[in-house]
Amino acid sequence: MSLFKLTLKELQDSFTRGDVSANEIARSYFLRLSVVESKVKAYVTVNDKEQILTQAQAIDDELKSWRKTMPLMAMPIAIKDNICTADLPTTCGSRILGQFQPPYDASVISKFREHRFFSIGKTNLDEFGMGSSTEHSAFGPSRNPWKLSHVPGGSSGGSAAAVAADECAAALGTDTGGSIRQPAACCGVVGFKPTYGRVSRYGLIAFASSLDQIGPITKDVYDAAMMLNVLAGQDPMDSTTADVPVSDFTRAFKKKDVKKLKFGIPKEFFAEGLDSEVEGAVRQAIEELEQLGGKIQDVSLPHTGVAVATYYIVATAEASSNLARYDGVKYGIRAKDSQELLEMYRKTRQEGFGPEVKRRVMLGTYALSSGYYDAYYAKAQAVRTLITQDFDRVFDEVDLLVTPVMPTPAFKLGEKIEDPLQMYLSDLYTISASLAGIPAISIPCGFSQQGLPIGLQLMGRPFEEETVLRAARAYELVTNWRKKRPAIR
Ligand code: GLN
C-alpha cells in the first residue's frame, strides 16, 4: 500500500516499528505531489525535496544506533501560509507580503521542529484568511480533490485539499469564523478548532485576534487528537493562551460509545437556507449518535440569527487595525515612484491588497470610526456576549451540540465570488462557535448526489476538547465515511 494513503497514526505506527524509514516516507509524499499537485494546487510553496531528504537521512542514520522516536517524527505535515516559518516564505495569500521571510518560527512550528516533522510546504488560503473558497488568494484558487471544478472551501482550503488528496499526512489550519471546519467539510476530512486560548497564536499572522485559533486538519479524528497533543498548551509568548492542564487527548478514545452524553440539536441551525441533502445526512448522523447511546434533546440558541452580522463587525474591526501595519515600511512590497510618505502608503496598499481585504478594511474602519463606534462596534461586542450566554445556558443542559457545518456542499469555482453576502453565509453555522470561543469539530457524515462530501459539526464546552473528540471518534468508527477517498491520481 502507498504510504501516502495512511492516516497519521498508521504512518507513525509503521515508522515507530521500523517498518518504513524516514527516507521512504519523504519520497512517497514527494512522488504523490508530483502526480496531483498540478491539479489540486493546494500549496503556495512546496519545500525543497532535497532538503527534506537530507533531514530524512539524518533521522534514519541516528535511529540505527538508538531507536527513539517522537510522535511527529518524520511525519509529513502541511502548514497554512499565514503561520510564520523561518525556512519558508509566508505570504498570507497576499501580494502585499511579497516574498516575506519571517525571522522566526511560530510557536506551533517550533514544537513540530522539536519532533523533527517534515514540513512539506505552505498551503494556499484566502488572502489573510478572509474568505470561504480560497478564491481570494493572490495566487489563484486551490481545487476540491473530489471535483476539480469545485472550491475546497476556505480559508484553509489548501490545507484541507492537501489532506484530502494525500499530499500530506496532516495539516495546520486556522479558524477565525470557520476556516478550519468549513474547508474540512468541503473536502471530506476532519477539522478541529480548539477552544480559544488552547493553542498559541504566537507567529500566526493576525486577522482578528480575539477569534483566530490554530488547529489540525486530518484524515480522521484520532489524528486530530495526536496533533492537538503537540499543539496545545500555555505559551509565554501568547498571553491569551490559557493555564489549563493538557492531557493526552487520545485518552478520550478509551470509551467507544457516547453513553451518558447529552446532545443538543439547536433548532436555529436547521432553518431556512439549509440544503436538503445536507440536512438529511446530519439528521442521519444524529440517529447514529442516539444508537450509540447518546441522549438527543432539542435546544435553542436564540441569537444565532445575528451571529453573521456580529462577526462581520468584530472581525472586520480587528482586521482593519491588524492590517494597518502593511504600509510598505517594514514588511513586503513597497510601491515605487511615490513623491511623499502618504502617497507611498496609499499606493502600496492599493497595489498590495486584493478586493476582499480592501472591503473588510473599509467595513472595519467604518465600524470603529468615531460617531459609529457605539452604534456598530460596541453593539456587536454586546451581542457577542449574548451569543456566548446562549451557549453557557445550553451547556447547562447538554454536553455537546450537533449541527451542519455548511448550509450546502462545496460550490463551483466562480459561483459566489461576485456576491460577498452569499460567500459570508457559507459560515452561517461555524461563526457562533468562534464568537463564543468554544471547541468545534467538523467530521464527514455523507455525500451529496454529486459526490461531494458533507460535514457534521460537534461543539463542546470551553476546554472540553476531550468530550468533542470522544463523540466524534465514536461516530466515525461506526460509519465508514472517512474511508472513502477521492479518486484523483
Ligand atoms: N469565511 C470567514 C471569513 O471570511 C471565516 C474566515 C476564517 O475563519 N479565517 O471571515
Side-chain angles (χ1 to χ4, degrees):
M1 185 176 177
S2 311
L3 292 179
F4 57 76
K5 289 192 179 153
L6 300 179
T7 66
L8 185 67
K9 168 83 166 88
E10 290 164 347
L11 191 62
Q12 186 217 35
D13 283 349
S14 310
F15 177 67
T16 311
R17 281 195 306 265
D19 295 349
V20 295
S21 66
N23 185 284
E24 285 167 320
I25 294 173
R27 281 187 190 283
S28 167
Y29 274 89
F30 278 101
L31 184 64
R32 178 66 178 167
L33 257 80
S34 70
V35 178
V36 296
E37 174 55 12
S38 62
K39 297 173 195 148
V40 180
K41 299 185 166 57
Y43 289 88
V44 176
T45 310
V46 173
N47 210 341
D48 178 42
K49 180 179 166 189
E50 293 312 314
Q51 200 186 320
I52 300 291
L53 288 175
T54 309
Q55 291 173 14
Q57 199 55 52
I59 291 175
D60 287 335
D61 288 345
E62 272 175 45
L63 293 181
K64 273 182 206 148
S65 48
W66 188 36
R67 193 151 191 95
K68 185 171 184 322
T69 60
M70 303 273 281
L72 296 185
M73 187 183 247
M75 295 298 112
I77 293 174
I79 303 155
K80 186 175 178 180
D81 207 18
N82 58 353
I83 299 174
C84 286
T85 44
D87 61 340
L88 291 174
T90 301
T91 68
C92 284
S94 182
R95 257 193 307 278
I96 207 154
L97 278 162
Q99 280 296 299
F100 171 65
Q101 174 84 51
Y104 65 96
D105 278 327
S107 290
V108 292
I109 302 299
S110 308
K111 289 181 173 196
F112 281 4
R113 289 207 205 281
E114 280 167 29
H115 282 238
R116 299 173 73 184
F117 82 126
F118 290 153
S119 155
I120 295 294
K122 305 296 291 287
T123 53
N124 198 18
L125 67 157
D126 290 290
E127 189 172 359
F128 285 99
M130 299 175 189
S132 309
S133 68
T134 73
E135 292 167 294
H136 292 308
S137 165
F139 307 106
S142 301
R143 308 270 169 163
N144 192 314
W146 292 90
K147 222 177 217 289
L148 296 173
S149 54
H150 283 59
V151 302
S155 64
S156 314
S159 288
V163 174
D166 296 324
E167 294 189 76
C168 58
L172 285 182
T174 66
D175 193 310
T176 305
S179 279
I180 289 177
R181 293 160 282 157
Q182 188 262 17
C186 288
C187 293
V189 294
V190 171
F192 193 19
K193 180 195 90 71
T195 311
Y196 184 82
R198 192 48 122 167
V199 176
S200 170
R201 289 180 296 115
Y202 179 68
L204 161 62
I205 298 183
F207 161 9
S209 313
S210 77
L211 297 156
D212 299 340
Q213 262 300 277
I214 296 176
I217 298 183
T218 52
K219 294 183 184 180
D220 69 13
V221 177
Y222 197 101
D223 290 0
M226 277 175 69
M227 291 279 278
L228 202 59
N229 276 351
V230 181
L231 295 170
Q234 198 176 20
D235 178 8
M237 301 304 282
D238 173 2
S239 62
T240 63
T241 50
D243 181 13
V244 175
V246 177
S247 59
D248 173 3
F249 290 100
T250 64
R251 268 194 348 201
F253 306 139
K254 285 206 174 118
K255 280 209 187 111
K256 302 257 182 294
D257 59 49
V258 296
K259 288 196 183 102
K260 296 214 182 97
L261 285 185
K262 284 196 200 139
F263 295 86
I265 316 298
K267 65 168 192 277
E268 293 81 3
F269 283 65
F270 293 83
E272 200 193 316
L274 177 58
D275 174 272
S276 61
E277 283 188 291
V278 174
E279 175 164 11
V282 171
R283 295 226 181 257
Q284 181 69 39
I286 294 170
E287 272 177 35
E288 305 267 8
L289 288 167
E290 192 166 23
Q291 273 163 28
L292 278 163
K295 269 220 165 63
I296 310 292
Q297 184 177 326
D298 288 330
V299 295
S300 172
L301 295 164
H303 295 93
T304 303
V306 288
V308 172
T310 306
Y311 171 84
Y312 276 93
I313 291 173
V314 174
T316 57
E318 292 184 21
S320 71
S321 138
N322 274 325
L323 270 56
R325 73 192 68 173
Y326 306 106
D327 55 10
V329 177
K330 282 198 180 140
Y331 314 93
I333 62 160
R334 175 179 300 179
K336 293 193 185 71
D337 306 325
S338 303
Q339 302 305 314
E340 42 102 24
L341 187 67
L342 261 185
E343 188 189 351
M344 190 277 280
Y345 289 164
R346 243 185 252 126
K347 275 189 172 173
T348 300
R349 290 168 72 82
Q350 173 64 32
E351 289 169 20
F353 287 140
E356 183 59 27
V357 172
K358 286 179 187 157
R359 178 161 31 237
R360 307 264 181 131
V361 168
M362 284 191 283
L363 278 171
T365 307
Y366 185 81
L368 288 175
S369 57
S370 73
Y372 294 104
Y373 183 95
D374 287 338
Y376 294 110
Y377 187 71
K379 189 65 141 286
Q381 291 292 18
V383 178
R384 183 177 184 177
T385 303
L386 294 175
I387 291 169
T388 309
Q389 287 170 346
D390 278 358
F391 282 105
D392 290 346
R393 218 172 296 122
V394 294
F395 283 133
D396 281 342
E397 289 176 46
V398 298
D399 302 293
L400 292 163
L401 293 165
V402 191
T403 72
V405 179
M406 202 184 160
T408 62
F411 44 90
K412 272 207 186 98
L413 280 144
E415 199 178 309
K416 298 194 178 174
I417 192 86
E418 301 297 341
D419 188 347
L421 193 60
Q422 277 308 312
M423 191 74 93
Y424 296 174
L425 289 173
S426 310
D427 304 293
L428 194 59
Y429 303 135
T430 49
I431 274 175
S432 305
S434 297
L435 288 169
I438 58 176
I441 200 166
S442 168
I443 52 173
C445 73
F447 287 85
S448 70
Q449 275 185 355
Q450 277 199 53
L452 288 160
I454 297 174
L456 176 77
Q457 177 168 244
L458 297 176
M459 299 181 260
R461 297 186 189 101
F463 299 103
E464 291 196 9
E465 277 83 3
E466 273 196 45
T467 315
V468 177
L469 287 164
R470 182 182 139 203
R473 179 71 176 163
Y475 171 76
E476 88 171 356
L477 287 177
V478 293
T479 55
N480 272 326
W481 304 118
R482 71 191 186 290
K483 297 208 172 125
K484 279 191 93 178
R485 313 295 317 153
I488 185 164
R489 62 183 120 248

